[in-house]
Amino acid sequence: MAVLASGRGSNFKALAERSQDRAFPAEVACLITDQRAAGAVSVAESFNIPWFWVDAGERRGRLTADAESEIVARCESAGARLVLLAGFMRILESGEGKLLDRFSGRVINIHPSLLPSFKGLQAQRQALEYGVKVAGCSAHFVDASVDGGPIILQSAIAVHDDDTAESLAARILGEEHAVVVRAVELFALGKLKIDGRRVLGTE
Ligand code: GRF
């Protein structure tokens, strides 16, 4: 898989660690980032995983056409069959030759809420402020909607009275690491089947 990340890189690290086990059916071919100083870059270096910085431009939230072409080329030349978005802070758009077209049904994102609740940024804070008693994370296939593609796996945790956005995010993150690894494993084993909005084969 190619991993796309913009930040700290803890989900990427969970995948890199798990991939070291020969019994795991997937491996990380490369990291692609739009942030040269991202923690994810240090993770790549510590695991000897090739990484590439792509100049994604100023168009906040979106990729320039050049950046998108470069990402597609990097993923293809790395031999990736899956693209994993692990805190990649850009919105992917549909269109011929774009990442979602070239890797149709093969782009997975990890999001820190129980979708379809709390899409977008600061999902953990949104959940806390809304007052839900159960929060969690979702791994889902990516389509051109933001955090709206078919859900692969979810994991739930209880929200405590004394939770802050930070403490809640920390507990959700532990779940994310397990969920992202399992979603990749199921994908690599060929178990996942997209049937409309449902993803089958996850039991
Ligand atoms: C995670 O909470 C992920 O769900 C979200 O961005 C965050 C990335 O964290 N999409 P990390 O960089 O993997 O530590």
Side-chain angles (χ1 to χ4, degrees):
M1 80 197 93
V3 176
L4 274 57
S6 304
R8 169 180 58 186
S10 71
N11 280 285
F12 167 44
K13 186 174 179 208
L15 286 164
E17 262 166 14
R18 195 68 188 85
S19 300
Q20 288 190 317
D21 180 350
R22 282 177 171 272
F24 192 70
E27 64 180 323
V28 183
C30 68
L31 168 77
I32 300 170
T33 184
D34 58 339
Q35 302 293 331
R36 240 189 290 237
V41 169
S42 312
V43 175
E45 289 179 343
S46 69
F47 283 87
N48 281 321
I49 292 170
W51 65 273
F52 305 99
W53 171 71
V54 170
D55 183 354
E58 291 297 318
R59 210 171 136 230
R60 217 176 132 74
R62 306 269 164 188
L63 287 169
T64 60
D66 284 353
E68 177 123 15
S69 307
E70 194 179 338
I71 290 171
V72 169
R74 292 282 187 205
C75 290
E76 288 180 344
S77 67
R81 288 158 64 193
L82 170 67
V83 177
L84 205 293
L85 307 184
F88 187 61
M89 304 305 287
R90 302 270 174 170
I91 294 164
L92 299 178
E93 296 170 327
S94 56
E96 205 184 322
K98 291 188 178 246
L99 192 72
L100 290 179
D101 175 44
R102 298 291 264 272
F103 286 83
S104 175
R106 296 186 291 142
V107 183
I108 291 176
N109 182 44
I110 179 76
H111 182 75
S113 80
L114 294 174
L115 291 170
S117 294
F118 313 125
K119 296 175 178 176
L121 297 175
Q122 300 205 36
Q124 308 94 329
R125 182 175 295 281
Q126 290 184 54
L128 189 74
E129 289 178 356
Y130 194 89
V132 294
K133 298 297 183 188
V134 175
C137 64
S138 310
H140 64 94
F141 283 109
V142 177
D143 59 19
S145 65
V146 176
D147 300 325
I151 294 166
I152 303 167
L153 291 173
Q154 296 184 301
S155 183
I157 57 157
V159 179
H160 302 318
D161 285 355
D162 60 355
D163 262 325
T164 60
E166 290 70 31
S167 67
L168 187 59
R171 285 207 311 293
I172 292 173
L173 192 63
E175 300 302 306
E176 290 183 41
H177 297 162
V179 161
V180 78
V181 165
R182 182 67 179 147
V184 166
E185 183 177 29
L186 289 168
F187 180 92
L189 292 172
K191 302 251 188 211
L192 302 181
K193 183 169 178 291
I194 302 175
D195 178 16
R197 280 221 48 88
R198 300 184 68 202
V199 179
L200 308 178
T202 59
E203 290 175 321

